[in-house]
Amino acid sequence: MKALLAFRSLFLSQVRGFTLALILSLVTLAAGIALLGTSGWFITAAALTTAGLAFNLFVPSSLVRGFSFIRILARYGERLSGHDATLRLLSGLRGWLFARLFPRLPLADRSLRHGDLVSRLTSDVDALDTAFLVAIGPIAAALVIGAALTALLAWLLPGAAWLYGFCYGVAVLVVPTGLVLTSRAAGNAVVQRAADARAAVLDGIEGHADLTVFGVLGTAQSGFAATSRHLAAVRGRLSTLTAIAGFAVQALAALALAGSLWLGLSAFAAGAIDGPVLAGLLLAIAGSFEATSTIVRSVGKLTTAMAAAERLTAIAEAPPAIVDPATPAALPADTTLALTGVTFGYGGPPVLDNLDLAVAIGEHIAITGPSGSGKSSLLALLLRLADPQSGRITLGGTALPTLRQADIHASVALLSQHSPLFNDTIRANLRIARPDADDDALWAALAAAGIGDFVRALPAGLDTMVGEGGRTVSVGQARRLCLARVLLSPAKILLLDEPTAALDRPAEVAFFETLHQAAQDRTVIVVTHAAIPDGTMDRVLTLRNGALTS
Amino acid sequence: MTDTDRHNAKTLSSLRQHGGPWLWLSILAPLTAGALLVWQAWTLAAVLGSAIETGAALDTLTPGIALILALLLARAALAAIGDRAGTAAAEAIKAQLRATLFSHLLARSPRAAEQPQSGAASAAIVDQVEALDGFFAHYLPAMIQAAVLPIAFGAIILPLDWLAGLLFLVTAPLIPVFMALAGWGAQIATDRQARALSLLTGRFADRLRGLVTLKLFGRAEAETAGIVAASDELRRRTLRVLRIAFLSSAVLEFFAALGVAGIALYVGLTFIDYLHLRASPLTLELGLFLLLMAPEVYNPLRLLAAHYHDRAAAKSAIGEIEAQLGKLPEAPAPLADIKPMPGTGPIGLTATGLTLRTPDAARVILANADLTIAPGDHVALLGPSGIGKSTLLEAVARLRIHEGEIALDRRPLADWPEAELRARVTMLGQKPRIFAGSIAHNIALARPGASTSDIRHAAERAHVAPFADALPDGLDTILGEGGLGLSGGQAQRIALARIYLRDAGLILLDEPTAHLDAELEQAVLDDLKSYARGRTLVIATHSLAVAARMGRAWRIAGEALLPTPLPARKGKGVA
């Protein structure tokens, strides 16, 4: 519940729509109960009347028709306004989550699997989104209706008021609370198991070739079947609890109706109540439990929504590893980079140990070194994706932590080992680096990355879709498209992590030569295993045991 | 109703068989409860009528009141049982369908052009299948109730009061007609919405994969706005559906209210002698019974309306699943692990008149090419990146279709039984998948049930052990999906370790050392070469240092395969 409260401001933004939906749903329920009650009273009164033509026909018959039409219109309006507000909330929630996610990147929690993240974004947001429509709204409406009818009973049939109030209160408050408490674990498990199933499908597809080659499709299939059986089992457990709670609500309604009938007939025998009023009241009581019929399902949804809210807040409210300064320094025009005494590690022994490095404006340096020696970590520090445990990194003499991250990222562009292509056109993929780039700039960047001719030869040229994860192009071509994207960016400092990993030797040599020309007015830091062609780099440094040597 | 629509409905009902006895229970329990309802309404009307009209004493009414309570409780129990059984049936059907879809996905060729995007496939198998839940758990029982109960109630009432009976019998069957009229429009719109939802999920998956890249290019705000815009578009589509969908429930509400109001007025007017349509006089007992039954006649229809969208959603989901994954298969594809076979020596490889194309068939990679690799040879496959080295290896591993002939040990590739082929030929792709699980689990993928010491041994051979041992949990360290948290070189070495758990006669490796420094590359190659003694080894590479360690080299150039002299061995060479 606490996690759910974290979203109250988003809920409040749609408060008008939700209030309208709530009022209309109350009108719908009240009209339904009034219709039954009035009808019961009317026919009983008519049956008892002896002077037929003296009976006032007009009032009850118009009430009956009026309640009917109010109910029809209110129902339609309630559903439409409720859904509209809900869907508005949905886009708000999605935007909110994205806005929360970006400052928290890269996520510290490594177990946050990709499929899991997708699940959080879609299912959890959906579950949270419908919380009002299917959970909070019906419970609130049932409470109001129950209170109103209890008050009416207290006036007309005081003996039954306490019994009805008690049964209704237990049905609307106690049973749902009990269900929430008992089904929490099952609700959490459902979300978790669904995420597992999603991750298993992703593993199956992305690892399809590996699974086929190793002849372990059987293991993959039985693993997935087990995952989906687990999902079915936890949903079944949730359903058992829901069915029990549903029985409890119905049993309470039965008790209220039978009890009121008995008490009402006692009162009737004692002459404390009219026959027609009693008939009307009993029909109204029977009708009032219409409001509780959906409550159990509502609670199921509420539990799911609370589990979703917890997961969403867990990811969205985690403190960002890197925070912008309150009063950021202006971005210096000078793009000199300097690291002094930088020590950095992931909890174990330091990867970078008291490292010093100065890179002048426009200097091109290469960093080589054994795998895992911390070259990629060094690049991450320059982008302030992480902060060193000690030491100082400056850009143009200004310490990185005093600058806005957006300013740092505008000056420093990265081609990482995992740089992805998006399922979009080549043009859109490139423009991520510079949204206003014209086609000439795109072609220049493609040429510099050595892939201009390839793209020119494609039937759709820049409008070619590259497919998910760049599937329709080879790994080498995807890599070059990513490189073109980095070259297109207006950043003055380029960080390239293994830019030639997928290139053959002639292409690799050509790349270094092109880079030398194409990035003449920019600072370049290349992390590479390749042999550097002579004259293409100003300096070549080796990172070993946490320190740089030339 | 369109053909697709009819096809989807048919597919849906063919899934029913997997629900088993649970499905029957979920249908029969509410029908029984409906029968008890008539009894209960009659008893309630009798108790009230005799008390109010004839002034019966309270103690003579007590058994009736007790019976009402018992009937109410029995109905509550039947409702709970039906509800639970419906879920059990739906879960059984969904689990079966998921297993079927997933197995057929795996049964296809991994590089087939029609293989879906991973985001779309997981949306189909997990989310779209979930969308079938309501159809089996709620819609199906509700549909049977709606078809049976109103007519049954009408038939019971008809001999008691012909006019009320006729009113029920005429209006109740009319309602579904009106609802269907209103529902058609909703169905078309729902189809469109399911597609939009699927696209949106695909977009999320795609953007999430590159979220850090988007952040670094300063696209955080633009992408956030993009997601909001896409969601807003979805809202507009959905509302268009709902405006029509809710109309069908308004029609129902109209008839239900009309029924109650009509009965109330008819009974009331008969009592005050305004109407004379009955042969016998009407008792209060019967009047109350008719009024109590009036809402109940329409209730099954109201229940059906509440779950009407479940059917539309399920049909759309079926359509979307078939759009993404192809026609729904009947049963899971039989998939079994292939046991490694004891080594029977190295395998020779020949290709004659081989033609390869990109998956979309747009580009020719090899045309009429020939290749001969003798058993036990260690061969480098050279060529500029993007020229098709990976495609060739995948074709040899029978992951891609080809024209012309590829033969292993002089036997055409197509004639190799799958079990023998996989047992004898192994491959490491350029982008090996690191699965969610521990390092050891990832290595043992190549041989489920491998012993800890075998895994350890493979990890040492592939040079995984040095970096794994530095981690707190060693080989049991859990890796994130997609191998996040590993460097490219580390992920590649974990995948390489898998090869050492196989006992293959032909080993195909695609750039196995691309992310390694020269020193480690040589060390990895030392172990690889000593393992591959007595086996055929083909390495696609652009590293001359790797090529120099092999016995022979072939080059892809101008859509042809040519034998090429080996580069001299001299560290990380320059061409």
Side-chain angles (χ1 to χ4, degrees), chain A residues 192-383:
Chain A
Q192 190 59 50
R193 293 299 180 194
D196 287 348
R198 239 177 236 108
V201 176
L202 287 177
D203 267 351
I205 295 189
E206 310 246 324
H208 194 172
D210 299 280
L211 295 170
T212 307
V213 164
F214 292 121
V216 289
L217 294 174
T219 303
Q221 162 71 355
S222 56
F224 175 75
T227 309
S228 71
R229 268 199 311 276
H230 286 150
L231 176 60
V234 288
R235 290 185 66 94
R237 205 177 312 145
L238 199 58
S239 160
T240 305
L241 292 171
T242 313
I244 293 172
F247 173 77
V249 169
Q250 296 289 321
L252 284 162
L255 214 58
L257 186 64
S260 303
L261 180 61
W262 194 77
L263 292 167
L265 288 175
S266 312
F268 178 69
I273 189 167
D274 275 359
V277 174
L278 176 61
L281 276 180
L282 286 171
L283 279 164
I285 288 172
S288 75
F289 278 92
E290 181 199 349
T292 63
S293 63
T294 55
I295 277 202
V296 167
R297 200 170 308 146
S298 306
V299 171
K301 304 275 186 193
L302 191 63
T303 321
T304 318
M306 287 193 311
E310 267 168 38
R311 290 159 54 88
L312 285 175
T313 40
I315 168 170
E317 312 239 300
I322 306 292
V323 192
D324 272 337
T327 46
L331 184 70
D334 175 13
T335 54
T336 317
L337 276 172
L339 292 87
T340 26
V342 168
T343 298
F344 177 72
Y346 297 95
V351 179
L352 305 177
D353 194 2
N354 204 15
L355 179 137
D356 293 314
L357 173 67
V359 186
I361 301 174
E363 194 177 13
H364 287 196
I365 71 166
I367 297 175
T368 63
S371 302
S373 61
K375 302 186 294 292
S376 300
S377 304
L378 177 61
L379 298 188
L381 291 184
L382 292 176
L383 284 156

Side-chain angles (χ1 to χ4, degrees), chain B residues 299-364:
Chain B
N299 234 355
L301 292 164
R302 190 178 293 162
L303 190 69
L304 180 64
H307 297 299
Y308 193 75
H309 69 273
D310 285 340
R311 176 166 175 268
K315 278 204 284 183
S316 293
I318 286 282
E320 190 56 30
I321 291 169
E322 295 204 324
Q324 295 294 347
L325 308 177
K327 201 178 157 345
L328 227 55
E330 299 260 317
L335 292 173
D337 283 0
I338 292 160
K339 299 239 165 357
M341 291 183 186
T344 49
I347 294 175
L349 165 66
T350 51
T352 357
L354 179 64
T355 299
L356 286 177
R357 296 169 205 278
T358 49
D360 52 8
R363 209 157 56 81
V364 173

Side-chain angles (χ1 to χ4, degrees), chain A residues 445-530:
Chain A
L446 288 168
I451 195 169
D453 292 339
F454 170 78
V455 176
R456 228 177 273 280
L458 292 169
L462 287 172
D463 293 314
T464 307
M465 294 289 293
V466 294
E468 191 187 23
R471 273 184 2 158
T472 55
V473 292
S474 79
V475 176
Q477 284 151 356
R479 198 90 186 112
R480 290 199 217 191
L481 288 173
C482 291
L483 177 64
R485 183 164 66 196
V486 170
L487 293 176
L488 182 68
S489 96
K492 285 291 174 197
I493 300 173
L494 304 183
L495 308 181
L496 310 177
D497 197 351
E498 299 286 2
T500 62
L503 304 188
D504 56 280
R505 185 59 194 164
E508 190 170 83
V509 174
F511 168 76
F512 276 107
E513 279 159 4
T514 317
L515 183 68
H516 183 62
Q517 294 298 322
Q520 249 174 1
D521 53 343
R522 309 202 225 184
T523 305
V524 175
I525 301 178
V526 181
V527 161
T528 185
H529 288 126

